[in-house]
Amino acid sequence: TAAAPRPAPRGAPPPPPSRKKTKTASSSTKRASASTSTAGLTVLGKHLLVEQILKRWKYCLPSWPQGVKKEAPEGYITCGFQGLFIGVQSDTLGNILDMRDKKNGQPPIRSVLLQLDSAELREILSKGIDAQREDLMKSKLSESASSYAETLALLDSDAKTLKGFKPLKLEKEFKAFLKKKGKL
């Protein structure tokens, strides 16, 4: 009989996670056609579309915000996001000033994208994948570089998965989910 593994001494780092391969629902047909439940969270096809758009928001979505004041008002500094400022003087200390135009355009966030129709999301993602592929082709990466090949393979895989998404089915599934949650 084999001896049981010895416990790690106190203060030792935990052992690395197991590298066993497990079957996942990564095939395009499984991801595109069925909702899955992971750790109590329901992930629908529409959620996957939004996730893919947000992964490549630069290629999928228009720049937001547009036409925003770039210089910080008196007592504020910019915080890295165009139109968003943080108060730094005694009378403004800690205040957040959001001067982004929310009427003319929507922020690229999950809740806003989930309000769009699945067919529109599918079209946005398709254009984004094409734009990302075009940008990759124009890049200075050598076509023989491994990162070039890996990125191109991921784009091809995402494009293939996208073809499996059926907008009418996704909308029906999403509406049923919302109804079940009492949000419709």
Side-chain angles (χ1 to χ4, degrees):
T1 62
R6 298 176 74 176
R10 284 187 191 202
S18 172
R19 298 245 186 234
K20 289 182 182 179
K21 288 193 173 189
T22 58
K23 291 184 178 183
T24 61
S26 62
S27 75
S28 61
T29 54
K30 286 182 184 176
R31 281 178 54 186
S33 65
S35 64
T36 58
S37 182
T38 308
L41 299 174
T42 301
V43 180
L44 304 173
K46 189 167 184 176
H47 291 124
L48 294 173
L49 273 175
V50 168
E51 175 188 317
Q52 290 294 315
I53 289 170
L54 291 174
K55 238 173 40 174
R56 58 180 57 86
W57 63 268
K58 175 184 174 185
Y59 300 101
C60 294
L61 302 170
S63 177
W64 185 85
Q66 297 175 358
V68 169
K69 182 177 180 177
K70 294 181 181 183
E71 292 185 27
E74 178 84 24
Y76 288 85
I77 61 170
T78 59
C79 74
F81 295 101
Q82 195 177 47
L84 200 58
F85 307 100
I86 299 175
V88 292
Q89 292 181 350
S90 61
D91 58 335
T92 62
L93 191 61
N95 292 342
I96 306 272
L97 184 59
D98 188 350
M99 299 179 75
R100 298 174 291 186
D101 182 8
K102 295 173 191 79
K103 292 179 184 173
N104 297 316
Q106 293 289 332
I109 57 175
R110 185 176 179 267
S111 61
V112 169
L113 292 172
L114 283 172
Q115 293 173 17
L116 300 177
D117 183 74
S118 293
E120 186 177 354
L121 291 172
R122 189 173 187 257
E123 183 64 25
I124 290 169
L125 181 56
S126 177
K127 288 179 181 177
I129 290 171
D130 291 343
Q132 191 174 4
R133 182 180 285 118
E134 186 178 315
D135 200 34
L136 179 65
M137 300 294 186
K138 290 179 186 175
S139 74
K140 295 180 180 179
L141 278 177
S142 166
E143 289 187 28
S144 61
S146 65
S147 59
Y148 179 91
E150 289 172 15
T151 304
L152 195 56
L154 286 171
L155 288 170
D156 290 341
S157 174
D158 288 347
K160 183 179 178 183
T161 299
L162 180 61
K163 288 180 182 177
F165 283 106
K166 306 295 182 221
L168 292 175
K169 184 174 183 180
L170 295 180
E171 278 306 303
K172 183 177 178 183
E173 176 186 65
F174 189 66
K175 285 180 181 174
F177 172 75
L178 291 177
K179 190 173 183 179
K180 182 179 175 184
K181 292 289 185 183
K183 296 182 180 182
L184 188 63

